[in-house]
Amino acid sequence: ASEKIIADGLEIFSHHPVHDQIAVDIMINRDDPDTLVECGAFLEQKMKDSGLFAQVGTGSLVELMPRLAFHVARNLPFLFSSKDLEDIAPMLDSDQIRQRIHKLNVDLGSLDGVGQAEFIGIDPLGLKDTIMAKMALLTPSMGAGFYKGSLLSGDGRHLLITARPLAAGTNTASARKISELFTATAQELAKRYPAKDGQVTLTPVGAYRASLDNERIIRHDVQLANILAIVGIAVLLLLSFSRPLIGLLSLLPAIAGTAAALLVYSLFHPSISIITLGFGGAIISITVDHGIAYLLFLDSPHETTGKEAAHEVKALGLMSVITTIVAFLILSFSGFPFFAELGVFTALGILFSFLFVHVFFSRIIPAMPAGRDCSRPLQKIVNMLYSAGKPGAAFAILLAFTLFFFAKPQFHVSLSSMNTVSQETQAADELFAKVWGKVGDRILLMNSADTIAAIQQNNDHTLVLLEDDVEKGILSAAFTPSMIFPGSARAAQNLAAWQAFWDKARQEEVKKALSSTGTSLGFTPEAFAPFFSMLDPGLTVKSADIPKDFYEFLGISENKNNAGLIQFITVAPGKNYDAAHFMTRYGGESKIFDSAFFTKRLAAILFSTFATMLVIIAVSVALLLFFISLSLPLTFFSLLPAAFSYICTLGTLNLIGHPLDIPALM
């Protein structure tokens, strides 16, 4: 968390309202927006009645948009920068004005003109539309639009409903109820609208789906891994002993050690990661060696006792157990909570397994009668490998030398791959991204301040930088509230640009075009007076605080940690975007989340951490081995199998197309 890009990401995750938000796409397979609106209303009511959501729908947004449009229309002189005014210059051509007024006149006689009459006097040229268009970045899709108060996609076949659950997205108890609600509602809609009348499909997305998938899939995988480990080891054990059933007893210490480790761990910690429990399979595969060594001494062609077997294997097993326990305990100092948990739990499991062998096994099996002197199948294979001699050694060296050039770890990390999700969830995310756009491609900036006035001042400063970056192609689009609610300094700057733009000649030309065209179509001489009043050179600066009603819509929220406010600004990268440069340019005053850069940096940190941990563990184990043997040659030869294994494993992973990712790292 000391990395700025990571620290910023964690901070934004904890405050951004979209973190736990749920979105539902309602799709119909024909052109029928009215049916979509009906389905949307039905689903919204079901969601409200469920009591699972703190907020449902975009009703407040629908109410705010007309108010926002009127605010923009009444404050045009304070919202246009010099660059914006250059862009609207072509709209002031006499022919363009005549076409505009003719269209307004036609619209007044149709449904399209409902509610538009008030805008004609304030903004006959439609200048507000250029300002409102900048807000498109706040919507999920650039082509979306409102129909009867509902948000529809550009093709008119998808309707979007958003909601904020009462519980956090990672609360799987709540997530399960939400999932059941959507499943039941989808079935009801299917009955209401049979396929012949236009099939209706519900596609919900959100953190709750990932939480459910994570729990279900990981729990299944952990159980499967343990079962496969036990079954696989059991088969090997049957092949390792002259009396096969005795070999299965080798599993007892591992299972007892795992159970005892969980018991002791629970005395000091309230919970444990399910992934850590999954490493019970790894513990079993490691600690089964203690039982094997002990039982191999018992499974002899002559009578043996438990005490003799324990004495024989203790000297061999003790040093191995100590080095393994220490290696796992070193994980506790890695700085990663998961690895610390894994290290402690695994070390406990190995310790208790070893104690079980030497404390309880000799009492469970105090003596073993002589067995048949028959061969052990697995022993034959082991003997063959050990008797390969110089050809075998040459082959091993050649293999390690060849794979060494492929043994470089590579991390392919993406935020989506860090979650274990089902194919259905992946398909839902892909559909949502296709219809409503990839929200993850956008970049978030977060600022904080004590007052709304300070927030506006920060927005004004950020807007200057953003406008410059959009002009240079570093960003393709950007929106800040200062484009609609500028602070006093920005409002004064815009007013000066407005008054310089509307010189006497331009005023006369536009007034003439509006008056002549308006009079011919039946508009009164005073129809455009409100607009003309905004061209008065005596106009003074007018700025106001952002009304609280608009906070949520404009990305403003209360700071959970103190009494101040937080502002989120959304931008889209352009063709000349460079993440590192962007972080340097904006990182001093803002916290930034760029998912692509965050992922790249996270991969680098994980690789660096893994490499550091590997070196620390290797050095620690090497020192332990040296203190045990007090011999450099013996220490070197003791480490050779591990080095050989790392080279061959990493090289093989690369050759078969599976370079290290996060699960492989774990």
Side-chain angles (χ1 to χ4, degrees):
S2 59
E3 277 276 334
K4 176 170 173 54
I5 182 67
I6 304 298
D8 284 6
L10 293 174
E11 185 79 7
I12 290 174
F13 289 160
S14 64
H15 289 94
H16 198 281
V18 80
H19 182 56
D20 290 321
Q21 196 172 47
I22 291 173
V24 185
D25 174 88
I26 305 178
M27 180 182 70
I28 191 168
N29 60 350
R30 62 189 174 93
D31 295 328
D32 191 351
D34 292 317
T35 298
L36 270 181
V37 172
E38 287 178 17
C39 294
F42 179 77
L43 176 60
E44 282 192 21
Q45 192 58 50
K46 285 283 186 181
M47 293 170 72
K48 290 174 182 175
D49 294 342
S50 71
L52 296 170
F53 300 94
Q55 180 182 344
V56 178
T58 55
S60 59
L61 175 60
V62 176
E63 296 172 4
L64 289 174
M65 288 303 288
R67 290 174 53 192
L68 205 58
F70 273 111
H71 167 82
V72 172
R74 290 171 181 146
N75 292 274
L76 293 175
F78 314 105
L79 306 182
F80 281 86
S81 66
S82 300
K83 176 66 172 60
D84 293 331
L85 291 167
E86 292 176 14
D87 294 337
I88 68 167
M91 297 171 60
L92 307 182
D93 179 75
S94 298
D95 291 335
Q96 292 282 344
I97 293 175
R98 277 191 287 272
Q99 292 176 21
R100 166 78 183 173
I101 301 304
H102 274 282
K103 185 177 186 307
L104 288 175
N105 186 57
V106 172
D107 289 345
L108 283 173
S110 66
L111 287 175
D112 291 338
V114 175
Q116 297 298 315
E118 294 180 68
F119 282 112
I120 294 176
I122 308 172
D123 182 24
L125 303 177
L127 300 182
K128 75 175 188 314
D129 297 337
T130 62
I131 300 296
M132 297 293 287
K134 297 178 180 181
M135 299 171 59
L137 205 60
L138 298 181
T139 63
S141 174
M142 301 294 276
F146 285 96
Y147 178 79
K148 294 186 176 180
S150 297
L151 187 63
L152 266 61
S153 61
D155 62 4
R157 294 193 173 197
H158 296 261
L159 182 145
L160 180 66
I161 292 177
T162 58
R164 181 164 49 85
L166 285 169
T170 52
N171 185 322
T172 51
S174 172
R176 196 168 286 108
K177 294 177 182 178
I178 292 172
S179 179
E180 292 169 356
L181 170 67
F182 288 138
T183 301
T185 306
Q187 293 171 350
E188 289 186 51
L189 285 174
K191 292 178 182 178
R192 277 188 165 212
Y193 303 96
K196 61 184 179 64
D197 298 329
Q199 186 175 2
V200 176
T201 306
L202 252 62
T203 306
V205 297
Y208 86 97
R209 292 193 65 156
S211 297
L212 279 179
D213 286 350
N214 271 233
E215 182 186 80
R216 179 176 56 81
I217 294 174
I218 293 176
R219 189 183 298 276
H220 169 269
D221 288 352
V222 164
Q223 292 171 347
L224 179 62
N226 282 331
I227 291 170
L228 290 176
I230 292 173
V231 171
I233 293 169
V235 171
L236 291 174
L237 292 174
L238 291 173
L239 299 174
S240 300
F241 289 81
S242 59
R243 287 173 280 193
L245 293 180
I246 292 177
L248 294 180
L249 291 174
S250 302
L251 290 170
L252 266 181
I255 295 172
T258 304
L262 187 59
L263 171 64
V264 172
Y265 191 91
S266 68
L267 298 177
F268 300 96
H269 302 276
S271 64
I272 191 169
S273 166
I274 193 170
I275 306 178
T276 301
L277 285 180
F279 277 85
I283 294 170
I284 290 173
S285 68
I286 294 171
T287 60
V288 75
D289 294 349
H290 308 326
I292 291 174
Y294 178 89
L295 291 171
L296 279 174
F297 274 97
L298 283 179
D299 185 30
S300 300
H302 55 82
E303 185 177 347
T304 54
T305 65
K307 287 185 178 180
E308 290 175 350
H311 176 74
E312 292 288 347
V313 302
K314 184 180 293 184
L316 294 173
L318 184 61
M319 295 301 100
S320 172
V321 167
I322 290 175
T323 53
T324 306
I325 288 175
V326 172
F328 275 107
L329 285 177
I330 290 170
L331 289 176
S332 303
F333 305 101
S334 65
F336 277 89
F338 167 76
F339 283 121
E341 185 178 279
L342 173 64
V344 172
F345 179 70
T346 308
L348 287 172
I350 294 170
L351 173 64
F352 288 128
S353 296
F354 184 77
L355 291 176
F356 184 90
V357 169
H358 293 282
V359 175
F360 296 104
F361 246 9
S362 59
R363 289 169 174 78
I364 295 172
I365 312 174
M368 179 73 68
R372 292 177 299 162
D373 188 11
C374 58
S375 61
R376 300 157 178 167
L378 195 60
Q379 187 68 51
K380 290 182 179 179
I381 299 173
V382 174
N383 291 341
M384 183 181 67
L385 291 173
Y386 269 86
S387 62
K390 291 181 179 179
F395 175 78
I397 293 171
L398 180 63
L399 179 66
F401 180 79
T402 304
L403 290 176
F404 177 80
F405 296 98
F406 300 95
K408 183 180 179 182
Q410 298 177 25
F411 287 106
H412 294 282
V413 185
S414 67
L415 292 180
S416 58
S417 72
M418 293 175 72
N419 276 324
T420 307
V421 296
S422 64
Q423 292 182 349
E424 292 80 7
T425 298
Q426 291 180 33
D429 289 340
E430 289 171 4
L431 172 69
F432 192 87
K434 181 180 178 182
V435 175
W436 301 103
K438 293 183 179 181
V439 179
D441 289 346
R442 300 174 187 179
I443 300 163
L444 290 175
L445 284 76
M446 188 180 89
N447 297 311
S448 58
D450 294 332
T451 64
I452 191 62
I455 286 284
Q456 286 177 274
Q457 186 176 355
N458 290 341
N459 289 339
D460 288 352
H461 174 68
T462 304
L463 179 55
V464 174
L465 300 177
L466 293 176
E467 286 176 330
D468 184 48
D469 285 348
V470 170
E471 184 73 20
K472 293 176 180 177
I474 295 172
L475 300 175
S476 60
F479 175 80
T480 73
S482 285
M483 294 175 174
I484 297 175
F485 293 98
S488 56
R490 176 77 183 191
Q493 182 183 345
N494 287 344
L495 178 60
W498 174 271
Q499 291 174 337
F501 177 79
W502 287 101
D503 55 34
K504 191 171 183 180
R506 179 168 279 148
Q507 285 191 41
E508 291 297 328
E509 183 180 349
V510 171
K511 286 180 179 179
K512 181 179 178 181
L514 282 173
S515 299
S516 61
T517 306
T519 303
S520 66
L521 293 174
F523 288 95
T524 64
E526 295 80 20
F528 308 118
F531 174 70
F532 293 153
S533 67
M534 288 190 283
L535 305 182
D536 184 355
L539 202 64
T540 57
V541 175
K542 178 184 175 184
S543 65
D545 289 346
I546 302 174
K548 286 191 175 181
D549 293 349
F550 293 102
Y551 279 12
E552 184 180 354
F553 176 63
L554 296 175
I556 302 172
S557 59
E558 293 184 0
N559 194 332
K560 299 175 183 177
N561 301 327
N562 55 54
L565 296 170
I566 290 175
Q567 168 77 71
F568 288 99
I569 295 172
T570 305
V571 301
K575 60 181 180 180
N576 298 324
Y577 175 76
D578 177 77
H581 174 74
F582 189 84
M583 287 288 297
T584 303
R585 182 169 167 80
Y586 292 88
E589 299 180 359
S590 304
K591 297 186 183 298
I592 300 169
F593 179 69
D594 174 351
S595 62
F597 190 57
F598 180 93
T599 303
K600 181 180 179 182
R601 188 66 198 126
L602 180 61
I605 291 170
L606 286 173
F607 178 81
S608 172
T609 303
F610 174 64
T612 303
M613 286 163 50
L614 179 61
V615 170
I616 292 172
I617 292 173
V619 170
S620 302
V621 171
L623 287 173
L624 275 171
L625 290 172
F626 176 74
F627 291 138
I628 289 167
S629 64
L630 293 177
S631 168
L632 284 176
L634 282 178
T635 302
F636 173 77
F637 285 115
S638 298
L639 290 172
L640 267 184
F644 179 82
S645 174
Y646 268 104
I647 291 170
C648 292
T649 301
L650 293 177
T652 304
L653 282 172
N654 267 334
L655 287 174
I656 64 175
H658 289 287
L660 275 183
D661 53 13
I662 290 180
L665 164 63
M666 290 181 177

